[in-house]
Amino acid sequence: FFSSIPGKMSGDQVQYLVQQGIPQLVNDMVADLVKDKPTQPIKYMADWFSVRKNMDAATCDVGLFGLAVMGQNFALNMAEHGFSVAVCNRSPEKVDATVQRAKAEGNLPLWGFKDPKEFVQAIKKPRRIVILVQAGKPVDATIDALAGHMDAGDLLVDGGNEWFVNSQRRGGGPPPPGAI
């Protein structure tokens, strides 16, 4: 459908996708097209659509939430060593920067997500998620954002430099629903 039509995506094609129940995908696709490749043929969009569609099947080996210097480099290192990596951050710009860097460093198997639910759903079960965010309240906020989308058997690892009292507090109470 898309690869056979040269030029930009038409309004009819966008409307077709919206009617198929995937408005967020359309928004992301159009934003990517306008921002990154405004004059590329529709094949770029077909490729983009194919990659994003495959992400719905939970194909990533591991997830990493928190894309400051350490988190971004850790995610890229895992991808460079053959793991497919889903990344997420509360600042969308960091997600975009990490995805662009993965592309520039050899089209590494790394996918960015700006929504915690989509991020968690993109990871193979049982899920393995590393959190690399600032110690304290940001860790609690990240756990709260992710835990509701996780299942029994999923693993959530705080890889940051947390104060031991906070780690004990989190470990002493019940784990987030579905997480170990």
Side-chain angles (χ1 to χ4, degrees):
F1 177 77
F2 296 114
S3 61
S4 64
I5 304 169
K8 294 182 182 179
M9 180 177 254
S10 73
D12 290 341
Q13 291 166 325
V14 171
Q15 185 61 35
Y16 169 79
L17 291 174
V18 170
Q19 290 171 350
Q20 298 306 307
I22 48 177
Q24 184 60 49
L25 177 63
V26 172
N27 288 340
D28 291 346
M29 190 166 37
V30 170
D32 278 357
L33 179 66
V34 171
K35 179 181 70 176
D36 296 333
K37 310 236 183 217
T39 60
Q40 290 295 315
I42 203 69
K43 182 172 183 343
Y44 164 75
M45 294 188 68
D47 293 342
W48 186 96
F49 183 75
S50 174
V51 168
R52 292 299 289 210
K53 182 178 177 188
N54 289 338
M55 293 314 302
D56 292 338
T59 59
C60 290
D61 298 314
V62 63
L64 190 136
F65 192 103
L67 296 172
V69 174
M70 189 166 65
Q72 186 181 86
N73 285 318
F74 186 36
L76 292 165
N77 188 300
M78 289 188 289
E80 190 173 277
H81 284 87
F83 294 95
S84 57
V85 182
V87 297
C88 191
N89 197 77
R90 63 188 178 105
S91 302
E93 310 82 50
K94 297 220 179 198
V95 174
D96 295 336
T98 304
V99 170
Q100 289 300 324
R101 191 169 159 202
K103 192 179 281 188
E105 292 184 16
N107 209 24
L108 300 173
L110 184 144
W111 289 270
F113 297 88
K114 297 172 185 171
D115 177 69
K117 181 179 179 181
E118 291 177 5
F119 164 69
V120 171
Q121 290 176 342
I123 303 164
K124 293 177 195 173
K125 294 181 182 181
R127 298 176 183 101
R128 294 156 300 277
I129 300 174
V130 177
I131 300 173
L132 283 171
V133 298
Q134 183 180 5
K137 290 182 182 180
V139 174
D140 291 324
T142 302
I143 291 170
D144 290 344
L146 299 176
H149 309 295
M150 297 177 74
D151 296 324
D154 290 350
L155 180 65
L156 189 58
V157 177
D158 177 8
N161 191 19
E162 183 61 89
W163 187 37
F164 76 97
V165 173
N166 285 339
S167 295
Q168 288 176 337
R169 175 181 51 83
R170 289 186 195 105
I180 52 174

